[in-house]
Amino acid sequence: MPSSRDQSVETIQRELTAFARRARATAARTHPQLSLVSFTLLAHLADQRGCRATDLAAHYMLDKSTVSRQVAALEKLGFVERRPDPDDQRVQVLHPTPLGYETLASVAASRRAAFQERLADWSEQDLARFAEYLVRYGRASTRPRS
Amino acid sequence: MPSSRDQSVETIQRELTAFARRARATAARTHPQLSLVSFTLLAHLADQRGCRATDLAAHYMLDKSTVSRQVAALEKLGFVERRPDPDDQRVQVLHPTPLGYETLASVAASRRAAFQERLADWSEQDLARFAEYLVRYGRASTRPRS
DNA sequence: TCGGATGGTTGTATAGTACAACGTGACTGC
DNA sequence: GCAGTCACGTTGTACTATACAACCATCCGA
């Protein structure tokens, strides 16, 4: 017999996967310039004030070749630039360009607006709790398993 | 100045998109036989005790061509069968085969186990609330916008 | 009965991804 | 200081999921 705990887990699983299914499509549709992946990588660069391709790959569990191509695309669009690392000639430190920061801000704003609309009728407390649960879940699923 | 409300929305957005990024990859890795999309479609068929391709497309916001191909793949693997609709010759009602039900159950179980592991140290109440929030969010993002 | 709507398939193009092979540079033990 | 190994990144190749458009077959309402 499924416990209520099992049922909650089942629901969480179903809803999160459903979200995953939709996310890419809607992102692609609303922001043809900056796909979900590109957006995320660029946002990470902005957040970290620059980092290496390898760091991106590790953080997002992507193959380095994938990151290499995504970064190349972002560079072609003028959203990131590569700076040599003085300490290690192999390394290119990636930074958003001013245009990159601009575009990021604009996409983030409109994306935020879409979320705001969906979350418009939530109480502040519910929002805070939902956010907290998601962070907690995210930590659990990125943390290296023992 | 960002309100605490804004910050919660920001966090929810970030975490949900991060989840979306990982979901497909891990699904593909752990269950090469049944991708995230195939799994979801098959699960829907099981849930509904059969439905039409068009219904799947509408429900998951996928193009009918995408569904057509996914279903063809599932059929090739022996997981679904098509039954003619006596009332409408255009329609093929899709049903999981016994093998489909079996595979679905096994993949669902192992997927559930992975979630269980991540959610192991959550209280029952937190799980219930998290599930409720996700359902609420899901309704908001699939509901046709006014 | 004809014209539009509906269900489905197929052709074509694209994005995102992985894996493998490679080149170059850095580090380590001897 | 040199050989072997490791780390960083690129490129070749292949595959999956996806959309859009063109199409065929069927259904239905005026």
Side-chain angles (χ1 to χ4, degrees):
Chain A
M1 69 217 75
S3 66
S4 90
R5 179 179 189 88
D6 282 344
Q7 292 196 343
S8 292
V9 171
E10 196 83 46
T11 300
I12 290 164
Q13 173 185 354
R14 177 161 36 79
E15 291 299 319
L16 281 174
T17 48
F19 174 83
R21 235 184 316 96
R22 289 187 301 257
R24 198 182 291 247
T26 53
R29 221 179 287 283
T30 55
H31 300 287
Q33 273 259 297
L34 209 50
S35 77
L36 185 60
V37 181
S38 309
F39 174 78
T40 310
L41 296 183
L42 188 54
H44 191 80
L45 291 185
D47 206 54
Q48 303 286 305
R49 304 269 140 194
C51 73
R52 302 175 307 161
T54 296
D55 299 334
L56 290 177
H59 196 266
Y60 294 116
M61 299 194 294
L62 293 169
D63 192 81
K64 55 188 180 164
S65 65
T66 301
V67 172
S68 174
R69 288 183 231 268
Q70 292 288 332
V71 167
L74 284 172
E75 190 188 20
K76 200 167 182 181
L77 291 168
F79 294 158
V80 307
E81 63 181 9
R82 309 164 187 253
R83 302 183 192 160
D85 182 339
D87 297 346
D88 187 337
Q89 283 188 271
R90 293 171 304 178
V91 170
Q92 302 161 0
V93 185
L94 305 168
H95 292 267
T97 60
L99 175 61
Y101 278 113
E102 241 174 72
T103 309
L104 191 54
S106 127
V107 170
S110 94
R111 202 158 284 182
R112 187 164 49 240
F115 276 81
Q116 288 279 16
E117 187 190 336
R118 279 177 226 148
L119 299 169
D121 57 349
W122 289 48
S123 78
E124 191 154 325
Q125 195 193 6
D126 282 346
L127 280 182
R129 260 209 287 253
F130 187 30
E132 186 210 318
Y133 285 148
L134 282 167
V135 169
R136 190 171 162 195
Y137 178 83
R139 269 204 307 273
S141 55
T142 49
R143 190 179 46 207
R145 215 69 81 251
S146 56
Chain B
M1 68 215 76
S3 66
S4 89
R5 180 178 188 87
D6 282 344
Q7 292 196 342
S8 292
V9 170
E10 195 83 46
T11 301
I12 291 165
Q13 173 184 356
R14 178 161 36 79
E15 291 300 320
L16 280 174
T17 48
F19 173 83
R21 232 184 319 96
R22 289 187 301 256
R24 202 179 289 247
T26 54
R29 221 179 286 283
T30 54
H31 301 286
Q33 274 257 300
L34 212 49
S35 78
L36 186 59
V37 180
S38 309
F39 174 80
T40 310
L41 296 184
L42 188 54
H44 191 81
L45 290 186
D47 207 56
Q48 304 286 305
R49 303 268 142 193
C51 74
R52 303 174 308 161
T54 296
D55 299 334
L56 291 177
H59 196 265
Y60 293 116
M61 298 195 294
L62 293 169
D63 192 80
K64 57 186 181 165
S65 66
T66 301
V67 172
S68 174
R69 288 184 231 268
Q70 292 287 333
V71 168
L74 285 172
E75 190 188 21
K76 200 168 182 179
L77 291 168
F79 293 159
V80 307
E81 63 180 9
R82 310 166 188 250
R83 303 184 192 159
D85 182 338
D87 297 345
D88 187 337
Q89 283 189 271
R90 293 171 304 179
V91 170
Q92 301 162 0
V93 185
L94 306 168
H95 292 267
T97 60
L99 175 62
Y101 278 113
E102 240 175 72
T103 310
L104 190 54
S106 129
V107 170
S110 95
R111 200 158 286 181
R112 187 164 49 240
F115 275 82
Q116 289 278 14
E117 187 190 336
R118 279 176 227 150
L119 298 169
D121 58 349
W122 289 48
S123 79
E124 192 156 324
Q125 195 193 7
D126 281 346
L127 281 182
R129 258 208 289 252
F130 187 30
E132 185 209 317
Y133 286 147
L134 282 167
V135 169
R136 190 171 163 194
Y137 178 84
R139 271 202 306 273
S141 55
T142 48
R143 193 178 44 206
R145 215 69 81 252
S146 56

